[in-house]
Amino acid sequence: SAEKVNLTIGAYRTEEGKPWVLPVVHDAEVALANDTSINHEYLPVLGHEGFSKAATALVLGENSPAIADGKAFGVQSLSGTGSLRLGAEFLHSICKADVVYSSNPTWGNHKLVFLTGGFKEYRQYRYWDAANKKVDIEGFVADLEAAPEKSVILLHGCAHNPTGMDPTQDQWKAIFEVVKRKKLFPFFDIAYQGFASGDADADAWAIRYFVQK
């Protein structure tokens, strides 16, 4: 229970000092360890194709037009941080992007991941209105309006880290309009799909809206 979990350096532990994990994760680990039919050979360079297809469908939706038209695919990498790093290096080396914007505040690793991935400038857009405890959508949009063309805009798909406050659907529509008009590149980090609202489809609404448009 939550009352029995204490925060320690880099992990959650029970009162007995044992690492605490979601029961479903533990059950999956046990099932995998006892399944002798699993092939443990090296994966292809782009990862496990079945896993990547399932993850892509989870984010974009089973009936996504992008998937149906062959415009979407997945690449498996090592953790969320590894995925961000690959994305950053791809955008810098292939798309020649040098400027990235993230929300203020954001997850602590975002800045370092993009700068070590080759980006020359890391900037922030206004996001959190501390006085009124809400998303500063006016400041957010104004900062996007001032961003240079082809800037990468790092967006939290849901469960914004660290505030936990996400834009409304109408606010996402306003964000999309300026991103499209200013020719900015939206880069979604969606680490908590299903954990914000409890509905994986609802939590992916923003990404699916961008894809649809």
Side-chain angles (χ1 to χ4, degrees):
S1 66
E3 295 78 17
K4 293 184 178 180
V5 177
N6 298 314
L7 181 62
T8 60
I9 298 175
Y12 287 99
R13 294 184 178 275
T14 65
E15 287 183 340
E16 293 77 24
K18 297 180 180 179
W20 181 85
V21 296
L22 288 170
V24 67
V25 175
H26 176 265
D27 292 346
E29 290 174 339
V30 171
L32 287 170
N34 290 309
D35 188 347
T36 58
S37 68
I38 295 177
N39 184 339
H40 292 284
E41 292 296 326
Y42 288 117
L43 291 174
V45 174
L46 299 183
H48 190 287
E49 185 177 1
F51 173 83
S52 295
K53 284 185 175 180
T56 303
L58 176 67
V59 175
L60 300 184
E62 294 283 351
N63 299 315
S64 171
I67 295 177
D69 294 341
K71 296 179 179 179
F73 66 94
V75 175
Q76 184 180 3
S77 69
L78 182 62
S79 79
T81 305
S83 299
L84 288 167
R85 177 61 183 267
L86 285 178
E89 291 192 7
F90 178 85
L91 288 170
H92 171 69
S93 62
I94 304 301
C95 302
K96 308 305 179 185
D98 285 323
V99 179
V100 60
Y101 284 75
S102 77
S103 62
N104 183 16
T106 194
W107 180 51
N109 259 8
H110 278 150
K111 179 178 181 179
L112 187 60
V113 165
F114 276 84
L115 290 179
T116 55
F119 278 69
K120 296 178 181 178
E121 288 190 58
Y122 171 84
R123 304 178 184 179
Q124 290 187 302
Y125 53 81
R126 282 168 284 180
Y127 188 85
W128 180 238
D129 180 350
N132 297 297
K133 302 294 187 290
K134 65 177 185 178
V135 174
D136 179 6
I137 190 62
E138 292 81 11
F140 189 157
V141 170
D143 288 341
L144 295 188
E145 290 279 8
E149 186 176 301
K150 296 184 180 179
S151 294
V152 173
I153 310 299
L154 180 58
L155 302 164
H156 296 233
C158 66
H160 179 270
N161 183 0
T163 69
M165 181 66 72
D166 297 324
T168 64
Q169 290 187 2
D170 284 341
Q171 289 173 341
W172 274 120
K173 291 177 181 179
I175 293 164
F176 168 80
E177 289 303 323
V178 67
V179 165
K180 180 180 180 181
R181 178 165 42 79
K182 293 287 295 184
K183 298 181 180 178
L184 307 174
F185 190 100
F187 185 105
F188 280 94
D189 180 357
I190 182 164
Y192 308 110
Q193 185 181 354
F195 288 93
S197 68
D199 184 329
D201 291 322
D203 287 351
W205 187 90
I207 294 178
R208 295 178 187 182
Y209 178 78
F210 274 59
V211 171
Q212 173 196 337
K213 300 296 285 185

